[in-house]
Amino acid sequence: MATIHIDGRPFPARPGENLLQACLEAGADLPYFCWHPELGSVGACRQCAVRQYSGPDDRTGRIVMACMTPVTDGAILSIDDAEAREFRASVVEWLMTNHPHDCPVCAEGGECHLQDMTVMTGHAVRRYRFTKRTHRNQDLGPFVNHEMNRCIACYRCVRFYRDYAGGEDLAAFATHNDVYFGRHADGALENGFSGNLVEICPTGVFTDKPFSAVYSRKWDLRGAPSVCTHCAVGCNTIVNARQDTTRRVLNRYHDAVNRYFLCDRGRFGHGFIAAPSRLRAPLARIDGRPTPVPVQDALRRFQMMAQDGPVVGIGSTRASLESNFALRTLAGPARFSTGMAEPEHGLTRLVADLLRTTPARNPTLHEMESADAVLILGENVTVTAPRAGLALRQAVRQATFDIADAARIPRWMDAAVRTLGSEARSPLFIATPGPTDLDPIARATYRAAPDDIARLGFAIAHSLDPTAPEVADLPEDAARLAADIAATLRAAARPLIVAGTQYGTAALPQAAAAIATALAAHGVDAALSLVLPDCDSMGLALMDGLSLDAVRALARDGGIGTLVVMENDLSRRLDPAALDALLAAVPHLVVIDHTATPLSARADLILPSATFAECGGTLVSTEGRAQRFLQVLFPDLPLQAGWRWARDLAQAADPGKAPDWQDLDDIIAAIAAATPSLAPIGRAAPDAAYRLDGA
C-alpha cells in the first residue's frame, strides 16, 4: 500500500489507481462527473481539480485533475486549496449555464449525481442571464427517456454504450461547443444493455421510461436486495416498490458477478408481477369453470384428491430452492420431478457433474473478463446469458491492457489505453450454428451443426493432448482451425472455454470439458464455464429428481393420483400430444403458480404463489453460487410463497407427518440436512429476521 497526504492527513492508497479514486476511498469529498470506476478516466469534465505538491518543501504546487494523476507513495495534495476550490466552482458554473431548472419534475431528482456535486462544490447562485441552448429530444424506444437539455457532456453514455457494450447506434454529434448525444434518428436503442444509460448518466439525460409512468421519489420507495430471475447468471439487483407495486429494478454491485451493469432483460423484465394474468386467489374447477374458493376449501379439496392415489410433484427451474424442496417433501423424493424433459434434464445434470469433476476452474463472471483467450463452443452466450456476453466482450481487451502495461500507461487511463491498443484484440473464437452479437470482435468464427461443432471441440482436445480420442474425417478447414485454436489456448495464461445446453446435445459441454482438461494437464490455468438456461437450473441439478419423461411413464402405468406442478408451464416443456396424454392419465391436476398459463387453465385446483418480489428464497446460478433474494412487497393472503403452499398441502394430506416450517430458516435447515450438496445455502444471506433498517 502507498500513503498519500490529503490536506495534511495521511491516508492509505492502492498503487496503480488514480488520485480521484484514492480520495474517494479515503472518504474525501471531491466532485467528479466523467470518471466511472468501470470505465476509467478521460479527463473530460475537469471537475476533480486538486493542487498537488512535488514534495514537503514545495509551497506552490500545481493544479491537476485527480482522475488523470496516478497515485505515488508520499503524494501530497490539497482539496481545500482556495485556487482548486475556485477552479471547481467555475467548472460547475459553466456546466450549469444551459442546464434547465427542472429538478422538481426530473426523474433523477433526489438521486442525481449533478445535484450532489453542485451542492458539494457550493454553487448556489446562477449569474448567466441569457437564452439557454436547447436540444430536440429523441424517442429512444420503450425503455429509455431522452432529455438532452440536461446534458453536461461528460461522455459517460457513449463510452459505456459504444466502447464497453459494443453498441453502434448511439454517438456524440458535435459542432463547436454544441454536443449532442443520441441516435442518427429517432428509434429504439438496439443494444441489449441500453438501460444502463439510466445509471451511467450523472444527470437526467437518460431516465427509466417504465419507471417514469409510475414515478416516485427515491425516499418514498422501499427497496430490498434481490437476484435476477431471467437467466442463470445470477446478477444482483435491488427491487424498489411503493404502495404494493414494483416500481423499478436497479443494479446491485457484486464484485464477482455483475459489478456495475445489468442487461435490459433483468432491468425491465419485472412487468409480470403486476400483469393482468396474475393469479391472486385459489381457484377450483366447479362445473367446468375455475371458481374462486376459500383457502380452507381448497385445502380440503386437495385432501380428498390425495386419497385417490400417489401425489407426484413437478418442480421448476424458475422456482426457488425452497419451493422445489417443499414440493419434493410433499411428494417424496422418489416422486419428485425437476420439471425438465429430456434432453434438458440429462444435460443439466451433466453440466453439474462436469463442473464438479473437470480440473479446470469454474470462473466467476468477473474472472471471465480477465481471460486472455476465449473459445465459445456452440452457445450463443449473448442470448442465453447476456451479462456473460458482456463480460466476454471485455475479455477481448486483455491484449490492449498488456500493451498498456508494457508502455507503463495505467489501465484506468481509458482514452490513452484504447488509442494505444486500438488494433489489438485478445483471441476470441466462436463456433456456433448461427451468427452472434460477438462475431464482429472474434478472431475466427465457425458455422456448423451442433454435432460438427462438438467434433471440432474434440479435435482441439486431441491437438492439445494426443492421448485424447482422435476425430476421424474432420474437414481440412476445421482441422486447421482446431490446430490454430489449440495452439492459441495453450499459449494463453488464462484461457477460457464456454459452452452450454442451448442446442440440446451432450457432446458440446463434453467437448468443452475435454479441452479444459487437456489444458489443465499441461499446467495451464484454464477456466470452464458451462451455461444453463434458467435461474435455478443448477439448483435442480444439485437437488435431483425425475425427468418429465419418467413422470409420463408413471402416468401411463396409472401411478399418479394427483399431479402437483410448481411454477412450471408444461405446455412449454412438452409437445401438445404428450401433454394431452399426460393430463388424460392423471385424475387430478394442481397448479401452484403466480401467473395464469395454458396449463393452469386445465387445472382442477390453482393456488396463487408469490413472485420473487413478494417472498424470500434462494437461487443457484450457473456458476454454482447460492444467492438469496429478499421480500420487498408484502401481499395479503392468500398470496404466499410456493413453499408455503406445498407445506399447507402436506399438512392437509397428512397432518401427522407434514413439516411445520415457519420461515426460511426452518426450510433451509431441512434442505441442508436432506441434500448435502446444498448444505452451504444457509450461508448465502442473513437469517429470516434480517431487515435493511435493522428493525
Side-chain angles (χ1 to χ4, degrees):
M1 294 291 286
T3 299
I4 62 173
H5 300 267
I6 305 174
D7 291 313
R9 296 177 59 195
F11 293 94
R14 291 177 291 154
E17 67 183 14
N18 57 62
L19 283 179
L20 171 60
Q21 188 164 357
C23 289
L24 296 177
E25 291 176 358
D29 288 337
L30 181 59
Y32 64 94
F33 291 115
C34 63
W35 176 80
H36 185 278
E38 196 78 354
L39 304 180
S41 305
V42 291
C45 71
R46 323 304 290 171
Q47 183 61 80
C48 61
V50 298
R51 183 174 293 277
Q52 185 177 24
Y53 300 91
S54 60
D57 298 330
D58 184 359
R59 295 291 182 267
T60 304
R62 62 192 182 104
I63 298 293
V64 300
M65 299 304 116
C67 74
M68 300 297 289
T69 307
V71 164
T72 55
D73 191 24
I76 303 173
L77 63 141
S78 173
I79 296 175
D80 290 334
D81 175 77
E83 186 178 357
R85 293 173 65 89
E86 182 181 356
F87 187 101
R88 296 195 298 268
S90 67
V91 170
V92 163
E93 183 173 24
W94 56 255
L95 286 177
M96 294 293 290
T97 53
N98 291 297
H99 194 81
H101 291 172
D102 63 349
C103 294
V105 298
C106 177
E108 287 291 299
E111 52 187 344
C112 174
H113 188 77
L114 177 61
Q115 280 182 337
D116 295 341
M117 298 300 103
T118 303
V119 171
M120 183 185 295
T121 310
H123 177 63
V125 177
R126 187 174 303 212
R127 294 184 294 169
Y128 184 75
R129 293 291 181 267
F130 304 99
T131 303
K132 292 180 184 294
R133 176 204 63 212
T134 57
H135 292 289
R136 173 187 173 275
N137 301 320
Q138 290 184 316
D139 180 2
L140 299 180
F143 297 140
V144 180
N145 273 322
H146 189 232
E147 177 49 80
M148 186 57 206
N149 295 316
R150 298 170 183 157
C151 183
I152 59 171
C154 71
Y155 286 86
R156 273 194 189 183
C157 57
V158 293
R159 291 177 58 216
F160 166 76
Y161 195 87
R162 299 181 70 88
D163 296 344
Y164 195 93
E168 297 180 350
D169 61 318
L170 183 78
F173 304 93
T175 173
H176 191 46
N177 66 338
D178 194 0
V179 186
Y180 188 90
F181 297 91
R183 301 182 81 251
H184 69 285
D186 284 12
L189 292 166
E190 297 171 2
N191 190 273
F193 295 89
S194 62
N196 291 287
L197 294 174
V198 174
E199 292 190 54
I200 282 289
C201 179
T203 70
V205 176
F206 301 99
T207 53
D208 186 327
K209 184 176 284 188
F211 177 52
S212 297
V214 289
Y215 180 71
S216 293
R217 291 296 188 192
K218 63 175 286 188
W219 48 80
D220 291 324
L221 296 171
R222 181 170 60 240
S226 192
V227 178
C228 181
T229 61
H230 293 289
C231 80
V233 171
C235 291
N236 286 213
T237 63
I238 295 173
V239 180
N240 280 154
R242 188 182 184 217
Q243 295 177 336
D244 298 326
T245 59
T246 302
R247 299 301 176 93
R248 65 177 178 180
V249 171
L250 300 174
N251 182 76
R252 177 164 61 97
Y253 182 88
H254 191 303
D255 186 66
V257 191
N258 47 300
R259 291 170 67 83
Y260 297 94
F261 305 126
L262 288 178
C263 74
D264 286 356
R265 193 189 309 173
R267 185 180 297 275
F268 300 112
H270 56 83
F272 69 93
I273 297 173
S277 56
R278 276 302 304 273
L279 299 169
R280 299 191 178 277
L283 302 172
R285 187 168 298 278
I286 301 175
D287 296 330
R289 297 173 61 87
T291 305
V293 296
V295 171
Q296 292 305 316
D297 189 7
L299 295 178
R300 280 194 296 270
R301 284 174 178 268
F302 179 78
Q303 183 182 33
M304 291 185 290
M305 292 177 184
Q307 296 171 3
D308 291 343
V311 174
V312 171
I314 295 180
S316 172
T317 54
R318 65 180 173 94
S320 68
L321 274 179
E322 291 81 4
S323 292
N324 281 301
F325 180 78
L327 182 60
R328 181 175 181 263
T329 302
L330 167 66
R335 295 192 300 274
F336 171 75
S337 168
T338 62
M340 295 179 280
E342 297 292 357
E344 184 183 359
H345 175 82
L347 287 174
T348 304
R349 296 177 62 184
L350 173 66
V351 164
D353 291 339
L354 290 174
L355 291 176
R356 188 183 294 116
T357 58
T358 303
R361 288 184 296 110
N362 181 11
T364 67
L365 201 66
H366 186 42
E367 288 171 342
M368 292 169 65
E369 295 179 353
S370 62
D372 56 354
V374 179
L375 168 63
I376 301 176
L377 200 65
E379 188 78 8
N380 190 344
V381 182
T382 55
V383 172
T384 56
R387 186 60 185 82
L390 185 64
L392 296 182
R393 189 175 290 277
Q394 312 320 308
V396 175
R397 294 195 62 208
Q398 291 306 307
T400 300
F401 292 142
D402 292 341
I403 294 173
D405 292 344
R408 296 185 178 181
I409 297 177
R411 295 186 178 190
W412 47 260
M413 198 168 284
D414 191 65
V417 171
R418 290 185 183 276
T419 300
L420 184 66
S422 58
E423 302 299 322
R425 286 178 179 168
S426 295
L428 169 63
F429 300 96
I430 300 176
T432 52
T436 75
D437 290 344
L438 295 176
D439 287 358
I441 59 173
R443 173 180 289 187
T445 59
Y446 180 72
R447 299 285 176 262
D451 287 339
D452 291 330
I453 293 172
R455 282 166 49 82
L456 173 72
F458 286 118
I460 295 169
H462 176 73
S463 183
L464 289 165
D465 181 4
T467 65
E470 186 175 1
V471 179
D473 302 325
L474 195 67
E476 186 176 341
D477 61 333
R480 286 197 302 269
L481 179 60
D484 180 28
I485 294 174
T488 303
L489 294 176
R490 185 168 182 177
R494 299 174 304 280
L496 169 65
I497 319 300
V498 181
T501 63
Q502 182 179 17
Y503 293 104
T505 173
L508 286 170
Q510 288 170 340
I515 296 170
T517 299
L519 288 168
H522 285 289
V524 179
D525 183 20
L528 173 66
S529 178
L530 299 179
V531 179
L532 290 172
D534 295 329
C535 61
D536 205 25
S537 293
M538 183 61 75
L540 265 293
L542 297 176
M543 188 175 292
D544 205 4
L546 305 174
S547 69
L548 283 180
D549 305 81
V551 173
R552 290 172 58 203
L554 271 176
R556 283 195 301 268
D557 295 338
I560 302 178
T562 302
L563 186 64
V564 183
V565 182
M566 175 75 72
E567 299 181 22
N568 196 341
D569 182 7
L570 298 186
S571 66
R572 304 180 66 178
R573 301 279 188 180
L574 300 172
D575 64 69
L579 180 58
D580 290 343
L582 171 63
L583 298 184
V586 173
H588 306 292
L589 173 63
V590 178
V591 170
I592 305 172
D593 211 335
H594 48 68
T595 302
T597 66
L599 180 69
S600 66
R602 304 173 68 172
D604 300 300
L605 182 62
I606 305 171
L607 302 174
S609 66
T611 65
F612 72 95
E614 298 161 332
C615 65
T618 309
L619 301 173
V620 182
S621 72
T622 193
E623 180 200 344
R625 182 184 297 272
Q627 300 182 111
R628 189 79 47 79
F629 57 90
L630 302 185
Q631 185 174 7
V632 67
L633 293 175
F634 297 86
D636 295 330
L637 291 174
L639 213 60
Q640 61 181 356
W643 68 264
R644 293 184 182 274
W645 277 119
R647 176 204 61 189
D648 292 347
L649 293 180
Q651 290 174 346
D654 191 348
K657 297 181 180 179
D660 187 28
W661 304 315
Q662 297 302 311
D663 55 31
L664 277 177
D665 295 343
D666 295 338
I667 189 170
I668 286 172
I671 294 173
T675 312
S677 60
L678 293 171
I681 69 169
R683 301 193 297 271
D687 61 27
Y690 173 76
R691 295 292 183 272
L692 285 180
D693 59 5

